Amino acid sequence: MNHSVVTEFVFLGLTNLWEIQLPLFVFSFLFYSASMMGNFIIVFTVTFDDNLHSPMYFLLANLSIIDMVFCSITAPKMICDIFKRHKAISFWGCITQIFFSHAVGGTEMVLLITMAFDRYVAICKPLHYLTIMSPRMCLFFLITSWIIGFIHSAVQLVFVIDLPFCGPNILDSFYCDLPRLLRLACTDTHGLEFMVNINSGLISVGSFVLLVISYIFILFTVWKHSSSGSAKALSTLSAHITVVVLFFGPLMFFYTWPSPTSHLDKYLAIFDAVLTPFLNPVIYTLRNKEMKVSMKRVHSWLANYRKIS
Ligand SMILES: *[C@@H]1O[C@H](CO)[C@@H](O)[C@H](O)[C@H]1NC(C)=O
């Protein structure tokens, strides 16, 4: 039997004040466009420049694809909704948003761990790098991250789609997230909320701890054998660590903060929606000489191609 009478949910959005909506619109629109463009340039450069055909850059290009998908799940709707009075989303639209944000977010976490492992092998076992990170192994890691992400997401949603929703249907947010949605169900969801916090909390805190430990380990190794290559290794590592802290900071706050959602997390969510996907290309390319040189090469190659044709 289907008890549901709620067919759509209504977002309160971030604010009703026109003076804040306008800058918010400009800010989100600019950062969303910049994220899409920056990540696309990385994928394009890595694909077309043979000098960047190494495991690290393949993983980076894959991270860029994930970032483009991730910020397209919530940001476009949020941007279109900013000036609307009635910001609605259908029941299945809401479920879809939750499913993909958890699946793609989970995939990104596992991929970040793979990238840390890649750096560990490159720095601590340089002689075996190409045998350990073989194309086959990279593909295996990649497929594994997608599978883990989708399982993580499906496991929690299986229980949510059967819940009865009989109103109210107001979500104090600009996208669908599980903790808020569960509180709207007209049945006791304490067990389910606990499961979601364990599931999402475990995958985010677990990945974060694993990443921090592996980076400390790598930094320690670099420091012990400090040689000419260590400056370059340090700059790559600090880029990775910055991305990790920015990505996990807000997420861990959502899923492990004990008190029910404050207003702060609504604003923090913008970080993960548009800012982190934008920062990845900035951090990885501005700090990476090889990438910058390669972009120039691809750019001039394109210019020549246009001249010839
Ligand atoms: C993603 O990673 C796989 C495995 O290393 C690689 O074959 C593929 O080319 C990568 N994708 C991009 C866009 O670089």
Side-chain angles (χ1 to χ4, degrees):
M1 198 170 77
N2 196 354
H3 312 267
S4 309
V5 289
V6 168
T7 55
E8 63 168 28
F9 295 99
V10 177
F11 295 137
L12 286 187
L14 285 165
T15 173
N16 283 322
L17 298 172
W18 192 83
E19 311 88 90
I20 304 181
Q21 280 171 344
L22 189 62
L24 196 65
F25 177 82
V26 174
F27 171 88
S28 314
F29 183 78
L30 285 181
F31 274 96
Y32 176 67
S33 321
S35 307
M36 294 303 278
M37 209 140 67
N39 283 302
F40 178 78
I41 291 174
I42 290 189
V43 174
F44 190 85
T45 311
V46 171
T47 308
F48 286 99
D49 192 335
D50 290 340
N51 296 310
L52 297 186
H53 284 184
S54 76
M56 183 175 110
Y57 289 107
F58 278 143
L59 294 176
L60 180 60
N62 278 288
L63 182 71
S64 285
I65 292 179
I66 290 179
D67 271 336
M68 284 194 276
V69 178
F70 190 69
C71 67
S72 300
I73 297 170
T74 50
K77 172 146 179 63
M78 168 207 160
I79 294 168
C80 294
D81 273 354
I82 285 182
F83 295 111
K84 280 192 201 151
R85 286 195 147 220
H86 183 70
K87 313 177 201 324
I89 186 168
S90 69
F91 178 80
W92 287 106
C94 189
I95 296 289
T96 311
Q97 252 192 2
I98 294 177
F99 177 75
F100 282 105
S101 57
H102 277 266
V104 178
T107 307
E108 173 149 356
M109 286 180 193
V110 183
L111 191 65
L112 286 172
I113 295 176
T114 308
M115 292 173 81
F117 178 73
D118 170 76
R119 286 303 84 203
Y120 163 77
V121 178
I123 290 165
C124 303
K125 305 211 179 315
L127 295 180
H128 303 286
Y129 182 58
L130 286 178
T131 42
I132 297 177
M133 295 302 288
S134 63
R136 217 177 177 181
M137 202 59 180
C138 286
L139 202 60
F140 168 78
F141 280 133
L142 197 67
I143 294 173
T144 309
S145 3
W146 281 103
I147 292 177
I148 293 179
F150 275 79
I151 290 179
H152 151 72
S153 185
V155 162
Q156 13 186 47
L157 267 191
V158 160
F159 298 100
V160 174
I161 49 180
D162 271 344
L163 288 177
F165 290 94
C166 41
N169 65 345
I170 309 285
L171 287 164
D172 181 18
S173 183
F174 61 89
Y175 68 105
C176 278
D177 62 349
L178 266 181
R180 284 197 173 85
L181 186 72
L182 287 180
R183 254 171 268 137
L184 293 183
C186 33
T187 175
D188 178 35
T189 56
H190 278 97
L192 204 50
E193 271 171 57
F194 184 69
M195 197 273 277
V196 165
N197 280 347
I198 295 282
N199 186 347
S200 296
L202 211 62
I203 194 170
S204 51
V205 176
S207 313
F208 184 72
V209 169
L210 205 63
L211 283 168
V212 169
I213 292 176
S214 48
Y215 280 126
I216 289 175
F217 191 79
I218 300 173
L219 284 175
F220 186 72
T221 312
V222 169
W223 172 73
K224 223 171 50 180
H225 307 269
S226 65
S227 59
S228 55
S230 69
K232 186 169 170 250
L234 274 180
S235 111
T236 317
L237 284 180
S238 54
H240 283 224
I241 293 169
T242 315
V243 168
V244 165
V245 169
L246 284 172
F247 181 69
F248 284 93
L251 284 182
M252 290 195 296
F253 181 74
F254 297 151
Y255 288 105
T256 53
W257 205 248
S259 65
T261 38
S262 59
H263 284 293
L264 185 59
D265 70 344
K266 203 161 74 165
Y267 291 93
L268 268 180
I270 302 185
F271 268 92
D272 273 333
V274 288
L275 216 53
T276 322
F278 165 74
L279 284 175
N280 278 358
V282 171
I283 289 171
Y284 282 109
T285 49
L286 289 190
R287 309 194 45 134
N288 187 328
K289 210 178 241 155
E290 222 173 3
M291 195 78 189
K292 273 192 279 189
V293 170
S294 174
M295 278 183 177
K296 281 204 193 102
R297 207 160 32 217
V298 170
H299 183 85
S300 63
W301 178 74
L302 278 180
N304 279 337
Y305 181 77
R306 223 177 296 138
K307 239 182 279 167
I308 292 166
S309 57

